[in-house]
Amino acid sequence: MSEENFDIKTDKELQEMIAETDFGARNPTGAFPKKILFLVPLIWTIFQLWYASPLPFIFNFFIINDTEARAIHLAFAVFLSYTAYPTFKTSPRSYIPIQDWVLGMIATFCASYLYFFYAGLAERPGDPTQMDIIVAVTGMILLLEATRRALGPPLMVVAAIFCIYTFGGQFMPDVIAHKGASLNKGMSHYWLGTEGVFGVALGVSTGMVFMFVLFGALLESAGAGNYFIRTAFAGLGHLKGGPAKAAVVSSGLTGLVSGSSIANVVTTGTFTIPLMKKVGFKAEKAGAIEVACSTNGQLMPPVMGAAAFLMVEYVGITYLEVIKCAFLPAIISYIALVYIVHLEACKMGLEGLKKRVTQTLAQKLLSFVFSFLFMIVMAAVTYYGIGWIKTVAGNFTIYIVSGLLAIAYLGLIMYATKVPELEQTHDIKELPELWKTAQAGLYFLLPIVVLMWCLVVERLSPALSAFWATVLMIVIVLTQRPLKGYFRKSQDEDFSFKNGFDDFINGLVSGARNMIGIGVATAAAGIVVGTITLTGIGLVMTDFVEFISGGNLMLVLFFTALISLILGMGLPTTANYIVVSTLMAPVIVELGAQNGLIVPLIAVHLFVFYFGILADDTPPVGLAAFAAAGISGGDPIKTGIQGFTYDIRTAILPFMFIFNTQLLMIGIDSLFVLVLIVTAAIAAMLAFAAATQGFFIVKSRLWETIALLLVTFVLFRPGYFWGKFFPPLSNESPTRIETLLTETQPGSSLRVMIKGESMNGDEYTKTVMLPVGDQASGKARLEGIGIEIREEDGKVLVDNVIFGSAAEKVGIDFDQEILTIQMPTDIPPKQLLFIPAYALFAFVYFLQRRRKKKEGISRPRSNQ
C-alpha cells in the first residue's frame, strides 16, 4: 500500500489529538464553561505552588498535612475529569451537559471529604459512620468513571476487578481465595484512610509530580521546546540521516519539558518527520524513529515521568539515587538509537542537510576542546564559588546567589539578543548555524541548572527542588519578552509584557490540565495497592508465579515484561508501573534470592518501568505511533511495529541490569571500573544495534551477526562466563558466622544462604544479604543484625529474630537453618573478558571493512 493512501493530519488535527489524549477533548463555546475550564486549572496550580512552597510556614496560614493535600489534589482532578472529558466519543464537546456538572461536583465533594472532615475521621479509625460509607462508595464509583473518561476503560477495568476480588474473595478459586472483606472494612481501607486511593501513589502525584509537570509546561510555554529542537538540528542535521539523529537528541531534550509520549511526538515530529522524509526516509521509518525516541524521553534523567518519583517511595531511596541508577541505561539507549539511525542512513545512502559553513578537522577539534574546557571551568567556578559564598555569607547566601543568578540571566538575555529570534516555522531548508542557534536560548538552561543544583548539591527534596526551579522559570516567562524588547530597542508586540504574562498564565493552566490523567491514574492505582495490602494477594502471587515458572527467574522476568507490555497498551505508564511493580517486584526479588541472585529492589522497579514505557509504541494500541503516522502519512500499524523493532535495544537493557547491577552504577568502587563499565556498555549496545539491523560496515553475514550478539552478551554480562572458570563465592561453614562477621568490613554485607519452610509446608532455600555493623566483636555484630542462633544436631538454626531488625526485613524467621555463608573469593577481575570481546568486535569490523573495500561499495543503497 502506498503512503499516498494515508491522510496527513493538519497541525490543528494533531493538536486536537494531543488535547483528547492528554487533557480532555472538550472546547466549550459558552463563556461560563470556558472560564471554568480555565480558572479551575489555574486555581489548582496556585494551590500546588502554595503547598510546595515555604510560604504557609512563613505566614502561618493554610498549613495542611499530606492527607489533606491529597484530598484537595484529587478533588481538582476528578472535577476536571468530568468537565474536560466527554462521557462518550459521541457526547457533545461544545458544551458541558448538566449531568457532568452534577457528577463533577459530587465527585469533588467525595474526594475532598477527607479534608473537610479530617479531624472526625481521625477520631474514629475503622469505625465509619453511615455517611462515611455513602461518601466512600459514591467516591469509588465516580473515581472509576473519571478514570474511564480520562484514560479509557483499561485502568478502570483493572481497578474494578481488584475491588471485586476484595469483596468476593470467598467465591474465588482456591488458589487465590480469601475470606473477603466487609463493606465497612473495605471502604475504610480504600477511601477513608491512606492505604488505598489516598495512599503513596496519590501522595507522590500531589507532592512531587505536579511541580515537575508544571516546570515542564512553563519551559514549553517559554519556547524551550522549539529551542531544543532547533539546537539539535543545527548540531546534527549535516550528518548522514542528520534530521533523524536530530530527532533523537531533540526528543531526549524535549523529554525534559514534556511528560507525554504523544505530545513529544507531535512537538518534535512536526519538525523532524518531514525533514527525515525529505532526505530519503520512508514515511513509516521516519515516524517510527520519532516514536522510538519520543517514548524513550521518559527514561532521561533528571525528569523521568511520574513513575520515577513513585520509586522514591516504593524503593525507599532518594531521587538522586534513582537518577544515578537510571542514568547509564538511558544514555546508552539513546546512543544506540542514534547509531541505528546512522546504520539506516548508511543502508540507504542518505546524506544530511547542507551546512552553511564547513569547518576543517582541526577547527572542529579546537572548538570541541574549547567548549569542553569552558564547561569544566564554569562548573568548577559555580561549585566552588557558591561553596565559598556559603562559608563566608552564611544565612545571606541565598540573597547573594539570587543576585548572581539575576546577573547571569540578564547577561544571557542580552547575549541572546545579539542573534535573530528563532523561527517557529516547521520547514527548515538550510541548516542553521549551531552557535547562533544555541546562543538564542542559553538562558533556558538556568532553571535546569538550578533544579540539578538543588537535587545533587543541596540535596533538597525533589518537590522543593522543582519548586525553586519553577520559581525561576516563572521569572523567565514573565520577563524574557520585555527584556528582549528593551535590549533590541524594539516596541514590537512580541516583546510586550502582556504576551509574556499570557505565556505565564497559559503555562500554569497547561501544567494543571496535563495533570488530570496523572491525578486520577495514581488514585485509581491506589485501589490496586489497597487490595494487595488488604487481602494479602501479593503473597499468593509469589506462590502462583513461582509455580507457573517452576522457580525459573528468567521465565518470571519474561512473564513480568509481557504483563507490562499488555497492560501498557491501555494503561498510562504511571498506572502500569504501580500495578505491575506492586504485584511482581517482591516476586522477582524473592525468586532471585532462591536462585542465589541478590536483586536490588531498584533494579526490579526500573525493569518494570522500562517495559511500561515500551508499551507506549506497542501495536495495535500505541497512540504515539498513530500521532507519528498522522504527521508522516504512513501506516500507523507499520509505524508502530517498526518503532518497536527500533526499541528492542531498550528491551534487552532491563534483563542485563537485573543480572549485572554495575550497569545501574551499583557496586562500582573506583573511577577505573566506572570507565570500563561505561565504555563496555556503550560498545555492547552498538554491537547489538548492528546485529539487529543486519548491517555494520556492510551487510552482515549470519555468523557475523551471531558474533556481534556474543560480543554484546559478554560486554553486558562478563560474569556469566567468568564464573564458570573462577567461582566468585566460596561456601563457609555457618558455625564460623561470628568469626566471618569479625573479618568483614563494617558497612559491607554478609551473604547468607538459609533454608526454611513456607506456610503450606514446602521447603525452600534463599540467599539474603545482611548488613554488617561496626561493633567490636562478631557476636555483637550478629546481635546488631537482629538474630540469635543455636546449634542443634550439627545444624545452625535461627533461635530468635528481633522485631524490626535488618534480619526480619530480609525475611529471616524462627527455626530457619543457616546452610552456608558465601564469602567472595580472590579471583581475577571479570572485566578481563572484555579483551577477547573487543578483539572479536574488531575482527568483524576489519573483515567487513576489507569486504567493503574489495567490493568497491561506498554507499549501499536499498529501497528499505
Side-chain angles (χ1 to χ4, degrees):
M1 185 178 289
S2 66
E3 65 182 70
E4 285 79 7
N5 292 352
F6 299 100
D7 294 330
I8 298 178
K9 289 180 170 59
T10 63
D11 283 353
K12 183 179 180 181
E13 289 173 325
L14 290 168
Q15 293 303 322
E16 287 175 354
M17 182 184 291
I18 295 178
E20 184 173 353
T21 304
D22 288 337
F23 47 79
R26 276 202 178 121
N27 187 18
T29 55
F32 178 73
K34 190 180 286 290
K35 286 181 180 178
I36 290 295
L37 290 184
F38 179 83
L39 289 174
V40 171
L42 181 61
I43 296 169
W44 188 9
T45 299
I46 293 170
F47 160 72
Q48 293 285 164
L49 284 168
W50 176 267
Y51 173 65
S53 75
L55 294 178
F57 302 98
I58 293 173
F59 295 105
N60 196 28
F61 173 73
F62 195 44
I63 301 174
I64 58 176
N65 62 36
D66 291 345
T67 304
E68 293 171 316
R70 294 173 191 181
I72 297 172
H73 180 85
L74 182 59
F76 278 111
V78 292
F79 177 80
L80 289 170
S81 296
Y82 280 97
T83 51
Y85 290 85
T87 310
F88 304 107
K89 289 185 177 180
T90 56
S91 299
R93 284 164 166 72
S94 58
Y95 67 93
I96 303 174
I98 185 67
Q99 67 268 21
D100 286 355
W101 286 111
V102 173
L103 291 174
M105 294 302 294
I106 296 173
T108 302
F109 171 74
C110 293
S112 55
Y113 190 75
L114 266 71
Y115 171 73
F116 289 116
F117 301 98
Y118 180 78
L121 290 168
E123 291 174 359
R124 53 177 191 273
D127 185 25
T129 64
Q130 187 176 11
M131 181 64 178
D132 295 341
I133 296 299
I134 292 172
V135 168
V137 172
T138 306
M140 288 281 287
I141 294 171
L142 292 178
L143 172 61
L144 291 174
E145 168 59 13
T147 304
R148 185 194 66 82
R149 291 186 182 215
L151 302 168
L155 180 55
M156 180 208 72
V157 171
V158 170
I161 289 172
F162 275 82
C163 280
I164 293 169
Y165 175 73
T166 296
F167 296 111
Q170 64 271 39
F171 306 112
M172 298 293 164
D174 289 343
V175 69
I176 59 170
H178 65 98
K179 65 179 182 180
S182 66
L183 185 63
N184 281 11
K185 184 178 180 180
M187 289 301 108
S188 296
H189 193 80
Y190 281 133
W191 198 268
L192 303 175
T194 56
E195 294 291 328
V197 169
F198 298 95
V200 170
L202 187 61
V204 171
S205 176
T206 307
M208 297 187 205
V209 178
F210 194 103
M211 290 310 303
F212 279 88
V213 170
L214 176 62
F215 175 66
L218 288 169
L219 267 171
E220 181 63 39
S221 181
N226 182 50
Y227 170 70
F228 290 148
I229 293 168
R230 290 187 172 274
T231 303
F233 267 108
L236 299 172
H238 65 286
L239 302 174
K240 288 184 178 181
K245 292 174 182 174
V248 177
V249 175
S250 60
S251 291
L253 293 171
T254 306
L256 293 173
V257 302
S258 170
S260 163
S261 297
I262 186 172
N264 200 339
V265 166
V266 173
T267 302
T268 58
T270 48
F271 285 82
T272 60
I273 291 175
L275 285 169
M276 282 190 268
K277 290 177 68 178
K278 183 183 291 186
V279 297
F281 282 96
K282 290 185 67 176
E284 284 78 15
K285 286 198 173 182
I289 290 168
E290 181 58 48
V291 168
C293 50
S294 291
T295 53
N296 278 204
Q298 290 183 68
L299 299 176
M300 282 298 293
V303 182
M304 299 166 57
F309 304 108
L310 287 162
M311 283 183 211
V312 174
E313 299 295 330
Y314 288 161
V315 181
I317 61 177
T318 66
Y319 189 61
L320 185 60
E321 289 176 288
V322 173
I323 291 174
K324 185 189 80 170
C325 291
F327 181 75
L328 180 57
I331 291 297
I332 62 177
S333 179
Y334 264 95
I335 289 173
L337 186 53
V338 171
Y339 185 58
I340 287 172
V341 167
H342 175 76
L343 294 177
E344 289 281 16
C346 288
K347 284 193 284 186
M348 293 184 280
L350 305 182
E351 296 294 336
L353 298 176
K354 185 178 179 181
K355 293 186 70 174
R356 294 186 181 184
V357 179
T358 302
Q359 291 182 316
T360 63
L361 179 61
Q363 289 174 321
K364 290 177 182 178
L365 289 174
L366 185 63
S367 176
F368 173 78
V369 170
F370 177 77
S371 301
F372 185 70
L373 291 176
F374 178 76
M375 286 191 293
I376 291 177
V377 170
M378 289 303 298
V381 168
T382 303
Y383 182 81
Y384 292 106
I386 294 179
W388 177 78
I389 292 172
K390 287 169 72 174
T391 303
V392 174
N395 293 333
F396 291 97
T397 300
I398 183 65
Y399 304 106
I400 297 173
V401 171
S402 298
L404 292 174
L405 197 60
I407 292 171
Y409 171 55
L410 290 173
L412 290 173
I413 282 282
M414 186 187 301
Y415 189 53
T417 58
K418 303 298 182 184
V419 295
E421 292 291 307
L422 295 178
E423 297 179 1
Q424 299 293 326
T425 177
H426 296 173
D427 188 20
I428 302 177
K429 296 181 179 178
E430 190 176 22
L431 197 68
E433 292 183 42
L434 175 58
W435 184 245
K436 287 186 177 180
T437 306
Q439 182 179 340
L442 285 173
Y443 60 91
F444 286 131
L445 301 180
L446 288 177
I448 299 173
V449 170
V450 168
L451 175 65
M452 291 306 300
W453 180 271
C454 292
L455 280 171
V456 177
V457 180
E458 298 297 332
R459 299 297 178 100
L460 300 181
S461 68
L464 195 56
S465 301
F467 171 76
W468 289 119
T470 301
V471 168
L472 177 56
M473 199 62 242
I474 289 172
V475 172
I476 290 175
V477 174
L478 288 172
T479 60
Q480 63 169 342
R481 289 179 183 270
L483 284 174
K484 284 182 176 180
Y486 173 79
F487 288 126
R488 291 186 186 277
K489 297 181 173 55
S490 171
Q491 301 296 321
D492 192 286
E493 188 179 351
D494 282 344
F495 301 121
S496 66
F497 178 79
K498 178 183 178 302
N499 279 0
F501 186 76
D502 288 344
D503 291 340
F504 165 61
I505 296 298
N506 289 333
L508 297 184
V509 173
S510 178
R513 296 189 73 171
N514 289 340
M515 276 299 301
I516 300 172
I518 296 175
V520 295
T522 50
I527 296 174
V528 176
V529 178
T531 300
I532 292 168
T533 56
L534 183 60
T535 64
I537 183 63
L539 296 174
V540 176
M541 279 297 297
T542 303
D543 293 337
F544 179 68
V545 172
E546 183 180 1
F547 171 74
I548 64 172
S549 66
N552 187 297
L553 180 61
M554 202 66 185
L555 282 179
V556 174
L557 291 173
F558 276 115
F559 184 62
T560 304
L562 186 62
I563 292 175
S564 296
L565 290 174
I566 292 172
L567 288 179
M569 292 182 189
L571 270 61
T573 304
T574 305
N576 187 10
Y577 164 75
I578 294 171
V579 173
V580 181
S581 65
T582 306
L583 285 172
M584 299 303 298
V587 180
I588 295 173
V589 172
E590 182 69 21
L591 288 183
Q594 292 181 21
N595 282 269
L597 180 68
I598 304 299
V599 183
L601 196 55
I602 180 62
V604 180
H605 281 257
L606 281 172
F607 182 93
V608 175
F609 180 52
Y610 265 61
F611 280 100
I613 289 171
L614 286 174
D616 281 353
D617 64 358
T618 304
V621 188
L623 290 176
F626 279 83
I631 300 170
S632 69
D635 184 337
I637 300 298
K638 289 182 179 178
T639 300
I641 293 171
Q642 184 70 60
F644 191 73
T645 61
Y646 290 148
D647 269 340
I648 290 175
R649 89 224 179 268
T650 308
I652 71 160
L653 273 172
F655 288 97
M656 291 299 107
F657 61 60
I658 287 288
F659 294 98
N660 181 10
T661 54
Q662 286 185 319
L663 294 172
L664 301 179
M665 308 284 195
I666 296 173
I668 296 178
D669 51 10
S670 69
L671 179 61
F672 177 70
V673 173
L674 174 63
V675 173
L676 275 181
I677 295 300
V678 171
T679 53
I682 293 173
M685 192 52 84
L686 297 183
F688 183 76
T692 53
Q693 289 296 304
F695 189 96
F696 189 20
I697 305 300
V698 292
K699 186 176 180 180
S700 298
R701 292 169 178 165
L702 178 61
W703 77 266
E704 291 172 333
T705 298
I706 295 172
L708 290 172
L709 290 174
L710 179 61
V711 168
T712 302
F713 187 80
V714 172
L715 292 178
F716 268 140
R717 198 183 167 194
Y720 179 80
F721 293 111
W722 204 241
K724 304 292 184 183
F725 302 99
F726 303 100
L729 300 169
S730 64
N731 293 322
E732 301 287 339
S733 171
T735 57
R736 299 187 62 233
I737 187 169
E738 291 184 9
T739 304
L740 295 172
L741 277 170
T742 305
E743 297 171 354
T744 305
Q745 287 290 328
S748 59
S749 296
L750 191 71
R751 188 182 178 107
V752 178
M753 180 179 287
I754 60 173
K755 182 171 74 172
E757 191 174 283
S758 64
M759 295 180 67
N760 57 10
D762 296 331
E763 284 192 352
Y764 66 84
T765 60
K766 70 176 182 177
T767 306
V768 297
M769 298 291 281
L770 299 175
V772 179
D774 57 0
Q775 294 88 349
S777 67
K779 184 176 181 181
R781 290 181 178 184
L782 191 62
E783 291 174 355
I785 291 170
I787 58 175
E788 297 174 7
I789 59 174
R790 72 179 190 273
E791 290 191 35
E792 188 176 290
D793 298 329
K795 299 177 181 178
V796 177
L797 304 175
V798 177
D799 195 42
N800 186 32
V801 180
I802 298 174
F803 178 76
S805 65
E808 188 202 35
K809 289 178 181 177
V810 298
I812 292 182
D813 206 349
F814 300 98
D815 290 331
Q816 288 178 339
E817 181 186 354
I818 299 177
L819 294 177
T820 184
I821 312 296
Q822 297 178 332
M823 300 297 292
T825 54
D826 188 15
I827 62 173
K830 61 185 178 182
Q831 286 79 18
L832 287 174
L833 266 183
F834 290 169
I835 297 173
Y838 283 131
L840 180 58
F841 201 0
F843 179 65
V844 174
Y845 171 80
F846 285 114
L847 276 182
Q848 291 207 3
R849 187 173 180 181
R850 188 175 66 177
R851 191 158 74 243
K852 177 180 178 180
K853 189 175 181 180
K854 184 177 179 181
E855 296 173 1
I857 302 173
S858 58
R859 287 190 179 92
R861 297 179 181 272
S862 74
N863 296 322
Q864 297 181 41

